[in-house]
Amino acid sequence: MYTGSHLKLILAILLIPSVFIFLIAADSENRNFNNDSELTIEKISLTPIDTDINLPTEDKILIKSGDTFYSTLIKFDVSPATINKIGKDRKLKKFISLQVNDQIYITSKNGLVFVKRFDEDFYLDVLTIDGAKYEFEKKRDNLERIAQFREFEISDSLYASGKKAGVPESVLGDLIYIFGWDIDYAYDIRNGDKVKILYEDIFSNGRLVSNGDILAAEFTNKGTKINVIRFTQKGRKDYYTTDSNNVRKAFLRTPIELARISSHYNPNRKHPILNTIRAHKGTDYAAKTGTPVKVTGDGVIKNAQYSNSYGNYIDVMHYNKYMTRYAHLQGFAKGMKKGAKVTQGQTIGYVGSTGLATGPHLHYEFHINGKHTDPVKVEPPNAQSINSYNKKYFDKLVEERTEIISNISSIQ
Ligand SMILES: [Zn+2]
């Protein structure tokens, strides 16, 4: 029976605002297909989610500041002695350490108390308390990934407009990160810019366990559309434009977030301590002692040592021809030594004032083919694009996801 798939899709969106279940092909290279000619992608089925979703009858508890495992369980008539016994069980250390905004589920039935929470891999940890006895098990319910669609036009800030359209905070954060490589939010955003996002929510037996990743997004900035989709290549999840380019750059703009530049790269600078003309071959970032310093690109540590001028410093070799240097560090992060592998954004050390430094700051250098370069002016290359092994599969996914995203619209 043909009813016009796009029409059906739009109807689903209109009737049940932006919630639908779908089956989508996995966007990772660990796929299974016999040969290229049988390369198929599972079609998306758009079934509106049941309006009276099967919610379990249990108390969902959102942990607030000051809440402890003890203060939470005592309300369910578990005896102090039992709670203390559980508290001393080393196997349960992680389970009972509660952080603000954690969610746990508690049911009390026939004298038994069930405490449930999800771990970071979405396993359901269940603690069953029976008087003075207790039992702990890890379970895996069938996880359901439900795609959510949101669309908005920017009328004030990207953040405020996204919030108004009901985009969860974590998804907005991801969106800002993904497009932040290409769009300068302070200068490039215009009123009327449009954003469409397809992201997934992860449910387990009707419980929303987590707002998941963005699967695909479209950003119309000053009339130009940028489409991206998620893909996992060599075990790393990244976002790629539809022409297979990684949106991520191989280097972060700065090794410290939101730090002020206190001294620019300058080949003719008068040195503040030595008082002689001595080139300043890097960029200085003013920051408090102890501020984490992040490695700007993937690489291998070449040196992590002390010198009289640089103090504690780290040199990182990146693939091909790049090297970065981080100097005057208070100290190194754990495991940072010669030969250690580092990943972009990983904390490698902490701001200090060791060596020839007037105050706490980070001295950052960028070398290309052994030559000093101004770190602020360098145009970083994009991180690895889709490789030939994944290209065909990726192109199929692009087709599938851009079709979904360009055909859904809830804005009339
Ligand atoms: Zn410097």
Side-chain angles (χ1 to χ4, degrees), residues 63-95:
I63 301 302
K64 293 192 289 288
S65 170
D67 287 350
T68 61
F69 188 72
Y70 189 97
S71 71
T72 309
L73 275 217
I74 206 88
K75 291 177 197 151
F76 287 83
D77 294 332
V78 181
S79 77
T82 307
I83 304 177
N84 285 331
K85 198 161 84 183
I86 294 168
K88 283 182 196 137
D89 190 332
R90 296 185 69 188
K91 276 183 292 186
L92 295 177
K93 205 174 158 201
K94 215 167 159 198
F95 182 79

PDB file of all heavy atoms in Angstrom, residues 63-95:
ATOM      1  N   ILE A  63      18.681  13.084  42.279  1.00  0.00           N
ATOM      2  CA  ILE A  63      19.535  13.404  43.431  1.00  0.00           C
ATOM      3  C   ILE A  63      19.831  14.908  43.480  1.00  0.00           C
ATOM      4  O   ILE A  63      20.263  15.497  42.504  1.00  0.00           O
ATOM      5  CB  ILE A  63      20.849  12.587  43.364  1.00  0.00           C
ATOM      6  CG1 ILE A  63      20.533  11.085  43.360  1.00  0.00           C
ATOM      7  CG2 ILE A  63      21.794  12.958  44.496  1.00  0.00           C
ATOM      8  CD1 ILE A  63      19.733  10.597  44.548  1.00  0.00           C
ATOM      9  N   LYS A  64      19.545  15.467  44.657  1.00  0.00           N
ATOM     10  CA  LYS A  64      19.792  16.901  44.840  1.00  0.00           C
ATOM     11  C   LYS A  64      20.997  17.092  45.760  1.00  0.00           C
ATOM     12  O   LYS A  64      21.452  16.137  46.396  1.00  0.00           O
ATOM     13  CB  LYS A  64      18.551  17.558  45.462  1.00  0.00           C
ATOM     14  CG  LYS A  64      17.364  17.553  44.508  1.00  0.00           C
ATOM     15  CD  LYS A  64      16.238  18.440  44.981  1.00  0.00           C
ATOM     16  CE  LYS A  64      15.495  17.914  46.199  1.00  0.00           C
ATOM     17  NZ  LYS A  64      14.635  16.756  45.950  1.00  0.00           N
ATOM     18  N   SER A  65      21.467  18.302  45.794  1.00  0.00           N
ATOM     19  CA  SER A  65      22.620  18.617  46.636  1.00  0.00           C
ATOM     20  C   SER A  65      22.309  18.228  48.093  1.00  0.00           C
ATOM     21  O   SER A  65      21.253  18.555  48.608  1.00  0.00           O
ATOM     22  CB  SER A  65      22.913  20.108  46.518  1.00  0.00           C
ATOM     23  OG  SER A  65      23.854  20.469  47.468  1.00  0.00           O
ATOM     24  N   GLY A  66      23.196  17.522  48.720  1.00  0.00           N
ATOM     25  CA  GLY A  66      22.997  17.129  50.113  1.00  0.00           C
ATOM     26  C   GLY A  66      22.419  15.728  50.262  1.00  0.00           C
ATOM     27  O   GLY A  66      22.496  15.126  51.337  1.00  0.00           O
ATOM     28  N   ASP A  67      21.823  15.189  49.196  1.00  0.00           N
ATOM     29  CA  ASP A  67      21.279  13.826  49.263  1.00  0.00           C
ATOM     30  C   ASP A  67      22.414  12.809  49.337  1.00  0.00           C
ATOM     31  O   ASP A  67      23.439  12.972  48.682  1.00  0.00           O
ATOM     32  CB  ASP A  67      20.448  13.505  48.012  1.00  0.00           C
ATOM     33  CG  ASP A  67      19.121  14.236  48.002  1.00  0.00           C
ATOM     34  OD1 ASP A  67      18.766  14.824  49.037  1.00  0.00           O
ATOM     35  OD2 ASP A  67      18.440  14.219  46.949  1.00  0.00           O
ATOM     36  N   THR A  68      22.183  11.767  50.111  1.00  0.00           N
ATOM     37  CA  THR A  68      23.147  10.669  50.144  1.00  0.00           C
ATOM     38  C   THR A  68      22.364   9.375  49.942  1.00  0.00           C
ATOM     39  O   THR A  68      21.134   9.372  49.961  1.00  0.00           O
ATOM     40  CB  THR A  68      23.868  10.578  51.508  1.00  0.00           C
ATOM     41  OG1 THR A  68      22.873  10.344  52.511  1.00  0.00           O
ATOM     42  CG2 THR A  68      24.631  11.849  51.807  1.00  0.00           C
ATOM     43  N   PHE A  69      23.093   8.301  49.775  1.00  0.00           N
ATOM     44  CA  PHE A  69      22.464   7.008  49.647  1.00  0.00           C
ATOM     45  C   PHE A  69      21.667   6.722  50.928  1.00  0.00           C
ATOM     46  O   PHE A  69      20.536   6.244  50.887  1.00  0.00           O
ATOM     47  CB  PHE A  69      23.555   5.946  49.434  1.00  0.00           C
ATOM     48  CG  PHE A  69      23.014   4.601  49.090  1.00  0.00           C
ATOM     49  CD1 PHE A  69      22.452   4.365  47.853  1.00  0.00           C
ATOM     50  CD2 PHE A  69      23.072   3.561  50.011  1.00  0.00           C
ATOM     51  CE1 PHE A  69      21.946   3.112  47.531  1.00  0.00           C
ATOM     52  CE2 PHE A  69      22.563   2.314  49.699  1.00  0.00           C
ATOM     53  CZ  PHE A  69      22.004   2.085  48.462  1.00  0.00           C
ATOM     54  N   TYR A  70      22.277   7.074  52.062  1.00  0.00           N
ATOM     55  CA  TYR A  70      21.635   6.857  53.358  1.00  0.00           C
ATOM     56  C   TYR A  70      20.326   7.650  53.469  1.00  0.00           C
ATOM     57  O   TYR A  70      19.257   7.089  53.738  1.00  0.00           O
ATOM     58  CB  TYR A  70      22.604   7.263  54.479  1.00  0.00           C
ATOM     59  CG  TYR A  70      22.130   6.870  55.853  1.00  0.00           C
ATOM     60  CD1 TYR A  70      22.597   5.702  56.449  1.00  0.00           C
ATOM     61  CD2 TYR A  70      21.211   7.654  56.563  1.00  0.00           C
ATOM     62  CE1 TYR A  70      22.157   5.317  57.716  1.00  0.00           C
ATOM     63  CE2 TYR A  70      20.756   7.285  57.811  1.00  0.00           C
ATOM     64  CZ  TYR A  70      21.235   6.110  58.393  1.00  0.00           C
ATOM     65  OH  TYR A  70      20.794   5.730  59.627  1.00  0.00           O
ATOM     66  N   SER A  71      20.406   8.954  53.199  1.00  0.00           N
ATOM     67  CA  SER A  71      19.211   9.796  53.386  1.00  0.00           C
ATOM     68  C   SER A  71      18.099   9.408  52.416  1.00  0.00           C
ATOM     69  O   SER A  71      16.921   9.621  52.686  1.00  0.00           O
ATOM     70  CB  SER A  71      19.579  11.272  53.214  1.00  0.00           C
ATOM     71  OG  SER A  71      19.853  11.573  51.863  1.00  0.00           O
ATOM     72  N   THR A  72      18.477   8.829  51.280  1.00  0.00           N
ATOM     73  CA  THR A  72      17.471   8.437  50.292  1.00  0.00           C
ATOM     74  C   THR A  72      16.786   7.133  50.712  1.00  0.00           C
ATOM     75  O   THR A  72      15.561   7.014  50.670  1.00  0.00           O
ATOM     76  CB  THR A  72      18.135   8.271  48.909  1.00  0.00           C
ATOM     77  OG1 THR A  72      18.892   9.451  48.642  1.00  0.00           O
ATOM     78  CG2 THR A  72      17.108   8.091  47.810  1.00  0.00           C
ATOM     79  N   LEU A  73      17.582   6.158  51.142  1.00  0.00           N
ATOM     80  CA  LEU A  73      17.014   4.838  51.466  1.00  0.00           C
ATOM     81  C   LEU A  73      16.229   4.813  52.774  1.00  0.00           C
ATOM     82  O   LEU A  73      15.289   4.040  52.931  1.00  0.00           O
ATOM     83  CB  LEU A  73      18.140   3.794  51.539  1.00  0.00           C
ATOM     84  CG  LEU A  73      18.569   3.152  50.230  1.00  0.00           C
ATOM     85  CD1 LEU A  73      18.919   1.699  50.438  1.00  0.00           C
ATOM     86  CD2 LEU A  73      17.510   3.271  49.155  1.00  0.00           C
ATOM     87  N   ILE A  74      16.620   5.684  53.676  1.00  0.00           N
ATOM     88  CA  ILE A  74      15.952   5.684  54.989  1.00  0.00           C
ATOM     89  C   ILE A  74      14.468   6.036  54.816  1.00  0.00           C
ATOM     90  O   ILE A  74      13.610   5.578  55.563  1.00  0.00           O
ATOM     91  CB  ILE A  74      16.686   6.654  55.968  1.00  0.00           C
ATOM     92  CG1 ILE A  74      16.465   6.238  57.408  1.00  0.00           C
ATOM     93  CG2 ILE A  74      16.339   8.112  55.762  1.00  0.00           C
ATOM     94  CD1 ILE A  74      17.480   5.245  57.926  1.00  0.00           C
ATOM     95  N   LYS A  75      14.156   6.793  53.749  1.00  0.00           N
ATOM     96  CA  LYS A  75      12.766   7.167  53.468  1.00  0.00           C
ATOM     97  C   LYS A  75      11.938   5.973  53.014  1.00  0.00           C
ATOM     98  O   LYS A  75      10.716   6.031  52.982  1.00  0.00           O
ATOM     99  CB  LYS A  75      12.719   8.242  52.379  1.00  0.00           C
ATOM    100  CG  LYS A  75      13.260   9.579  52.834  1.00  0.00           C
ATOM    101  CD  LYS A  75      13.256  10.570  51.669  1.00  0.00           C
ATOM    102  CE  LYS A  75      14.174  11.745  51.985  1.00  0.00           C
ATOM    103  NZ  LYS A  75      14.745  12.334  50.780  1.00  0.00           N
ATOM    104  N   PHE A  76      12.617   4.899  52.599  1.00  0.00           N
ATOM    105  CA  PHE A  76      11.886   3.698  52.158  1.00  0.00           C
ATOM    106  C   PHE A  76      11.919   2.613  53.243  1.00  0.00           C
ATOM    107  O   PHE A  76      11.793   1.430  52.957  1.00  0.00           O
ATOM    108  CB  PHE A  76      12.473   3.189  50.834  1.00  0.00           C
ATOM    109  CG  PHE A  76      12.106   4.062  49.670  1.00  0.00           C
ATOM    110  CD1 PHE A  76      12.836   5.214  49.398  1.00  0.00           C
ATOM    111  CD2 PHE A  76      11.011   3.765  48.868  1.00  0.00           C
ATOM    112  CE1 PHE A  76      12.489   6.039  48.337  1.00  0.00           C
ATOM    113  CE2 PHE A  76      10.652   4.589  47.807  1.00  0.00           C
ATOM    114  CZ  PHE A  76      11.393   5.737  47.544  1.00  0.00           C
ATOM    115  N   ASP A  77      12.119   3.067  54.483  1.00  0.00           N
ATOM    116  CA  ASP A  77      12.075   2.175  55.646  1.00  0.00           C
ATOM    117  C   ASP A  77      13.130   1.076  55.622  1.00  0.00           C
ATOM    118  O   ASP A  77      12.900  -0.020  56.145  1.00  0.00           O
ATOM    119  CB  ASP A  77      10.679   1.546  55.803  1.00  0.00           C
ATOM    120  CG  ASP A  77       9.645   2.609  56.146  1.00  0.00           C
ATOM    121  OD1 ASP A  77      10.042   3.623  56.768  1.00  0.00           O
ATOM    122  OD2 ASP A  77       8.473   2.442  55.776  1.00  0.00           O
ATOM    123  N   VAL A  78      14.262   1.342  55.005  1.00  0.00           N
ATOM    124  CA  VAL A  78      15.373   0.387  55.115  1.00  0.00           C
ATOM    125  C   VAL A  78      16.084   0.725  56.423  1.00  0.00           C
ATOM    126  O   VAL A  78      16.254   1.897  56.755  1.00  0.00           O
ATOM    127  CB  VAL A  78      16.344   0.522  53.916  1.00  0.00           C
ATOM    128  CG1 VAL A  78      17.481  -0.482  54.024  1.00  0.00           C
ATOM    129  CG2 VAL A  78      15.588   0.347  52.596  1.00  0.00           C
ATOM    130  N   SER A  79      16.471  -0.312  57.186  1.00  0.00           N
ATOM    131  CA  SER A  79      17.028  -0.037  58.514  1.00  0.00           C
ATOM    132  C   SER A  79      18.425   0.565  58.404  1.00  0.00           C
ATOM    133  O   SER A  79      19.181   0.239  57.484  1.00  0.00           O
ATOM    134  CB  SER A  79      17.093  -1.321  59.328  1.00  0.00           C
ATOM    135  OG  SER A  79      18.194  -2.095  58.896  1.00  0.00           O
ATOM    136  N   PRO A  80      18.763   1.458  59.345  1.00  0.00           N
ATOM    137  CA  PRO A  80      20.095   2.077  59.326  1.00  0.00           C
ATOM    138  C   PRO A  80      21.215   1.028  59.299  1.00  0.00           C
ATOM    139  O   PRO A  80      22.213   1.207  58.605  1.00  0.00           O
ATOM    140  CB  PRO A  80      20.138   2.874  60.629  1.00  0.00           C
ATOM    141  CG  PRO A  80      18.706   3.158  60.942  1.00  0.00           C
ATOM    142  CD  PRO A  80      17.921   1.980  60.421  1.00  0.00           C
ATOM    143  N   ALA A  81      21.022  -0.088  60.025  1.00  0.00           N
ATOM    144  CA  ALA A  81      22.063  -1.124  60.075  1.00  0.00           C
ATOM    145  C   ALA A  81      22.313  -1.711  58.681  1.00  0.00           C
ATOM    146  O   ALA A  81      23.455  -1.905  58.267  1.00  0.00           O
ATOM    147  CB  ALA A  81      21.658  -2.222  61.048  1.00  0.00           C
ATOM    148  N   THR A  82      21.217  -1.960  57.958  1.00  0.00           N
ATOM    149  CA  THR A  82      21.366  -2.521  56.607  1.00  0.00           C
ATOM    150  C   THR A  82      22.040  -1.521  55.679  1.00  0.00           C
ATOM    151  O   THR A  82      22.946  -1.871  54.917  1.00  0.00           O
ATOM    152  CB  THR A  82      19.982  -2.921  56.036  1.00  0.00           C
ATOM    153  OG1 THR A  82      19.341  -3.778  56.974  1.00  0.00           O
ATOM    154  CG2 THR A  82      20.116  -3.635  54.711  1.00  0.00           C
ATOM    155  N   ILE A  83      21.608  -0.263  55.766  1.00  0.00           N
ATOM    156  CA  ILE A  83      22.223   0.753  54.888  1.00  0.00           C
ATOM    157  C   ILE A  83      23.721   0.852  55.172  1.00  0.00           C
ATOM    158  O   ILE A  83      24.544   0.921  54.256  1.00  0.00           O
ATOM    159  CB  ILE A  83      21.549   2.134  55.056  1.00  0.00           C
ATOM    160  CG1 ILE A  83      20.035   2.036  54.789  1.00  0.00           C
ATOM    161  CG2 ILE A  83      22.162   3.142  54.078  1.00  0.00           C
ATOM    162  CD1 ILE A  83      19.271   3.330  55.002  1.00  0.00           C
ATOM    163  N   ASN A  84      24.072   0.813  56.438  1.00  0.00           N
ATOM    164  CA  ASN A  84      25.493   0.904  56.791  1.00  0.00           C
ATOM    165  C   ASN A  84      26.271  -0.301  56.280  1.00  0.00           C
ATOM    166  O   ASN A  84      27.416  -0.176  55.842  1.00  0.00           O
ATOM    167  CB  ASN A  84      25.666   1.040  58.304  1.00  0.00           C
ATOM    168  CG  ASN A  84      25.292   2.448  58.762  1.00  0.00           C
ATOM    169  OD1 ASN A  84      25.438   3.408  57.994  1.00  0.00           O
ATOM    170  ND2 ASN A  84      24.791   2.566  59.986  1.00  0.00           N
ATOM    171  N   LYS A  85      25.635  -1.475  56.340  1.00  0.00           N
ATOM    172  CA  LYS A  85      26.283  -2.691  55.838  1.00  0.00           C
ATOM    173  C   LYS A  85      26.531  -2.562  54.328  1.00  0.00           C
ATOM    174  O   LYS A  85      27.623  -2.868  53.831  1.00  0.00           O
ATOM    175  CB  LYS A  85      25.385  -3.907  56.124  1.00  0.00           C
ATOM    176  CG  LYS A  85      26.122  -5.231  56.061  1.00  0.00           C
ATOM    177  CD  LYS A  85      25.362  -6.347  56.773  1.00  0.00           C
ATOM    178  CE  LYS A  85      24.329  -6.960  55.849  1.00  0.00           C
ATOM    179  NZ  LYS A  85      23.495  -7.994  56.455  1.00  0.00           N
ATOM    180  N   ILE A  86      25.523  -2.064  53.623  1.00  0.00           N
ATOM    181  CA  ILE A  86      25.661  -1.867  52.168  1.00  0.00           C
ATOM    182  C   ILE A  86      26.771  -0.845  51.895  1.00  0.00           C
ATOM    183  O   ILE A  86      27.587  -1.009  50.995  1.00  0.00           O
ATOM    184  CB  ILE A  86      24.317  -1.393  51.558  1.00  0.00           C
ATOM    185  CG1 ILE A  86      23.268  -2.493  51.668  1.00  0.00           C
ATOM    186  CG2 ILE A  86      24.491  -0.963  50.102  1.00  0.00           C
ATOM    187  CD1 ILE A  86      21.838  -2.051  51.372  1.00  0.00           C
ATOM    188  N   GLY A  87      26.784   0.184  52.742  1.00  0.00           N
ATOM    189  CA  GLY A  87      27.777   1.248  52.584  1.00  0.00           C
ATOM    190  C   GLY A  87      29.202   0.762  52.716  1.00  0.00           C
ATOM    191  O   GLY A  87      30.128   1.379  52.181  1.00  0.00           O
ATOM    192  N   LYS A  88      29.391  -0.341  53.441  1.00  0.00           N
ATOM    193  CA  LYS A  88      30.753  -0.864  53.642  1.00  0.00           C
ATOM    194  C   LYS A  88      31.147  -1.892  52.584  1.00  0.00           C
ATOM    195  O   LYS A  88      32.290  -2.324  52.532  1.00  0.00           O
ATOM    196  CB  LYS A  88      30.864  -1.500  55.032  1.00  0.00           C
ATOM    197  CG  LYS A  88      30.978  -0.462  56.129  1.00  0.00           C
ATOM    198  CD  LYS A  88      31.135  -1.116  57.486  1.00  0.00           C
ATOM    199  CE  LYS A  88      30.857  -0.088  58.575  1.00  0.00           C
ATOM    200  NZ  LYS A  88      30.035  -0.646  59.647  1.00  0.00           N
ATOM    201  N   ASP A  89      30.174  -2.277  51.741  1.00  0.00           N
ATOM    202  CA  ASP A  89      30.452  -3.284  50.714  1.00  0.00           C
ATOM    203  C   ASP A  89      31.235  -2.642  49.572  1.00  0.00           C
ATOM    204  O   ASP A  89      30.720  -1.769  48.857  1.00  0.00           O
ATOM    205  CB  ASP A  89      29.120  -3.845  50.185  1.00  0.00           C
ATOM    206  CG  ASP A  89      29.310  -5.072  49.301  1.00  0.00           C
ATOM    207  OD1 ASP A  89      30.384  -5.174  48.662  1.00  0.00           O
ATOM    208  OD2 ASP A  89      28.390  -5.903  49.257  1.00  0.00           O
ATOM    209  N   ARG A  90      32.482  -3.076  49.406  1.00  0.00           N
ATOM    210  CA  ARG A  90      33.338  -2.421  48.410  1.00  0.00           C
ATOM    211  C   ARG A  90      32.845  -2.630  46.975  1.00  0.00           C
ATOM    212  O   ARG A  90      33.090  -1.810  46.104  1.00  0.00           O
ATOM    213  CB  ARG A  90      34.780  -2.919  48.550  1.00  0.00           C
ATOM    214  CG  ARG A  90      35.355  -2.512  49.898  1.00  0.00           C
ATOM    215  CD  ARG A  90      36.812  -2.872  50.013  1.00  0.00           C
ATOM    216  NE  ARG A  90      37.631  -2.044  49.127  1.00  0.00           N
ATOM    217  CZ  ARG A  90      38.918  -2.269  48.920  1.00  0.00           C
ATOM    218  NH1 ARG A  90      39.509  -3.293  49.498  1.00  0.00           N
ATOM    219  NH2 ARG A  90      39.611  -1.478  48.127  1.00  0.00           N
ATOM    220  N   LYS A  91      32.132  -3.741  46.757  1.00  0.00           N
ATOM    221  CA  LYS A  91      31.606  -4.006  45.409  1.00  0.00           C
ATOM    222  C   LYS A  91      30.543  -2.966  45.006  1.00  0.00           C
ATOM    223  O   LYS A  91      30.254  -2.782  43.838  1.00  0.00           O
ATOM    224  CB  LYS A  91      30.984  -5.404  45.342  1.00  0.00           C
ATOM    225  CG  LYS A  91      32.018  -6.501  45.069  1.00  0.00           C
ATOM    226  CD  LYS A  91      31.335  -7.847  44.943  1.00  0.00           C
ATOM    227  CE  LYS A  91      30.783  -8.233  46.282  1.00  0.00           C
ATOM    228  NZ  LYS A  91      30.201  -9.501  46.480  1.00  0.00           N
ATOM    229  N   LEU A  92      29.953  -2.345  46.013  1.00  0.00           N
ATOM    230  CA  LEU A  92      28.855  -1.417  45.736  1.00  0.00           C
ATOM    231  C   LEU A  92      29.274   0.053  45.799  1.00  0.00           C
ATOM    232  O   LEU A  92      28.447   0.957  45.741  1.00  0.00           O
ATOM    233  CB  LEU A  92      27.719  -1.653  46.735  1.00  0.00           C
ATOM    234  CG  LEU A  92      27.055  -3.015  46.616  1.00  0.00           C
ATOM    235  CD1 LEU A  92      25.999  -3.197  47.686  1.00  0.00           C
ATOM    236  CD2 LEU A  92      26.420  -3.169  45.252  1.00  0.00           C
ATOM    237  N   LYS A  93      30.588   0.241  45.928  1.00  0.00           N
ATOM    238  CA  LYS A  93      31.112   1.590  46.114  1.00  0.00           C
ATOM    239  C   LYS A  93      30.591   2.565  45.039  1.00  0.00           C
ATOM    240  O   LYS A  93      30.129   3.660  45.343  1.00  0.00           O
ATOM    241  CB  LYS A  93      32.638   1.531  46.063  1.00  0.00           C
ATOM    242  CG  LYS A  93      33.306   2.656  46.812  1.00  0.00           C
ATOM    243  CD  LYS A  93      34.798   2.478  46.868  1.00  0.00           C
ATOM    244  CE  LYS A  93      35.409   3.850  47.123  1.00  0.00           C
ATOM    245  NZ  LYS A  93      36.789   3.942  46.738  1.00  0.00           N
ATOM    246  N   LYS A  94      30.665   2.131  43.805  1.00  0.00           N
ATOM    247  CA  LYS A  94      30.253   2.991  42.696  1.00  0.00           C
ATOM    248  C   LYS A  94      28.733   3.186  42.677  1.00  0.00           C
ATOM    249  O   LYS A  94      28.236   4.285  42.455  1.00  0.00           O
ATOM    250  CB  LYS A  94      30.711   2.361  41.381  1.00  0.00           C
ATOM    251  CG  LYS A  94      31.111   3.389  40.365  1.00  0.00           C
ATOM    252  CD  LYS A  94      31.837   2.769  39.214  1.00  0.00           C
ATOM    253  CE  LYS A  94      31.753   3.714  38.027  1.00  0.00           C
ATOM    254  NZ  LYS A  94      32.060   3.045  36.773  1.00  0.00           N
ATOM    255  N   PHE A  95      28.047   2.085  42.941  1.00  0.00           N
ATOM    256  CA  PHE A  95      26.586   2.112  42.898  1.00  0.00           C
ATOM    257  C   PHE A  95      26.004   3.112  43.898  1.00  0.00           C
ATOM    258  O   PHE A  95      25.031   3.799  43.619  1.00  0.00           O
ATOM    259  CB  PHE A  95      26.046   0.707  43.183  1.00  0.00           C
ATOM    260  CG  PHE A  95      24.549   0.602  43.127  1.00  0.00           C
ATOM    261  CD1 PHE A  95      23.899   0.514  41.908  1.00  0.00           C
ATOM    262  CD2 PHE A  95      23.794   0.602  44.290  1.00  0.00           C
ATOM    263  CE1 PHE A  95      22.516   0.423  41.835  1.00  0.00           C
ATOM    264  CE2 PHE A  95      22.408   0.510  44.244  1.00  0.00           C
ATOM    265  CZ  PHE A  95      21.771   0.420  43.011  1.00  0.00           C
TER     266      PHE A  95
END
